[in-house]
């Protein structure tokens, strides 16, 4: 068999691979093989949303109870949110947590990226430390598609804020 045939078969294989990846992202898979944000990102969104809805200072224990996040995990997430300027913390008997900015200025994507890091579909696109073993082959021709998908997801997540 000629190399041209092998190249076509390899290209077809990767085309189908991308197709099925996109199907998994777009539609709910009944077998539980969906792509999800992490539980930590989900909890961070819950915490910020809770603070936005209550529009007042809340202690960590109350936040934990209102969001269903364990106190220990809530404190871990709150440290990240405080460090990135989403939440402000106060010490003392009247201490607690509140949003550091108006809810309308905090994007859903911002909160998710604080916890998860940049939104990427493939490690080939977003991870500078990853060394692809297929650089010489055909797999990297999909990087543009992966980049475009990640950008679309990112744009949608940044279009939603906590005031809406």
């Amino acid at each position: 068999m000629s190399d041209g045939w092998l190249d076509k078969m390899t290209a077809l294989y990767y085309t189908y691979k991308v197709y099925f990846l996109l199907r998994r992202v777009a539609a709910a898979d009944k077998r539980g093989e969906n792509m999800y944000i992490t539980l930590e990102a989900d909890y961070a969104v819950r915490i910020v949303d809770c603070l936005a809805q209550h529009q007042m200072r809340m202690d960590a224990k109350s936040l934990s109870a209102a969001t269903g996040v364990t106190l220990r995990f809530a404190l871990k997430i709150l440290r990240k949110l405080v460090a990135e300027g989403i939440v402000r913390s106060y010490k003392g008997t009247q201490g607690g947590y509140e949003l550091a900015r108006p809810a309308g200025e905090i994007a859903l994507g911002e909160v998710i990226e604080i916890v998860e890091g940049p939104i990427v579909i493939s490690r080939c696109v977003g991870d500078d430390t990853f060394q692809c073993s297929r650089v010489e082959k055909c797999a990297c021709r999909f990087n543009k598609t992966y980049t475009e998908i990640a950008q679309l997801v990112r744009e949608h997540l940044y279009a939603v804020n906590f005031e809406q």
Side-chain angles (χ1 to χ4, degrees):
M1 292 184 202
S2 70
D3 285 339
W5 180 84
L6 183 60
D7 289 342
K8 286 179 185 175
M9 291 306 292
T10 304
L12 184 62
Y13 166 77
Y14 282 107
T15 301
Y16 278 108
K17 196 170 181 179
V18 169
Y19 167 74
F20 285 112
L21 170 71
L22 294 177
R23 262 186 74 199
R24 284 177 49 192
V25 171
D29 184 338
K30 302 286 186 215
R31 294 183 307 270
E33 295 179 5
N34 295 321
M35 295 175 66
Y36 298 104
I37 61 172
T38 64
L39 193 57
E40 185 176 9
D42 182 43
Y43 287 171
V45 169
R46 285 189 205 181
I47 289 168
V48 173
D49 190 49
C50 184
L51 289 170
Q53 296 301 315
H54 283 86
Q55 297 181 357
M56 60 182 242
R57 192 175 302 173
M58 295 180 72
D59 63 87
K61 191 173 181 179
S62 298
L63 267 170
S64 173
T67 59
V69 179
T70 65
L71 180 59
R72 185 178 176 128
F73 206 11
L75 288 168
K76 176 184 174 188
I77 292 166
L78 284 163
R79 275 192 296 275
K80 290 180 180 183
L81 296 171
V82 167
E84 294 297 324
I86 300 292
V87 172
R88 188 177 301 128
S89 67
Y90 296 91
K91 296 183 189 291
T93 56
Q94 297 299 313
Y97 298 90
E98 66 184 18
L99 294 181
R101 304 192 316 248
E105 294 179 14
I106 302 171
L108 177 61
E110 184 180 5
V111 173
I112 292 171
E113 285 191 330
I114 285 171
V115 174
E116 299 221 8
I119 298 165
V120 294
I121 300 298
S122 170
R123 62 185 175 174
C124 294
V125 176
D127 189 354
D128 293 336
T129 62
F130 176 72
Q131 296 295 317
C132 181
S133 63
R134 305 277 303 164
V135 171
E136 304 299 320
K137 307 290 182 198
C138 65
C140 291
R141 66 193 176 106
F142 296 109
N143 282 353
K144 181 180 179 203
T145 302
Y146 294 145
T147 302
E148 290 169 355
I149 293 168
Q151 186 58 36
L152 284 171
V153 170
R154 196 168 189 277
E155 286 171 11
H156 282 282
L157 291 174
Y158 273 82
V160 177
N161 64 54
F162 285 87
E163 188 175 66
Q164 298 171 330

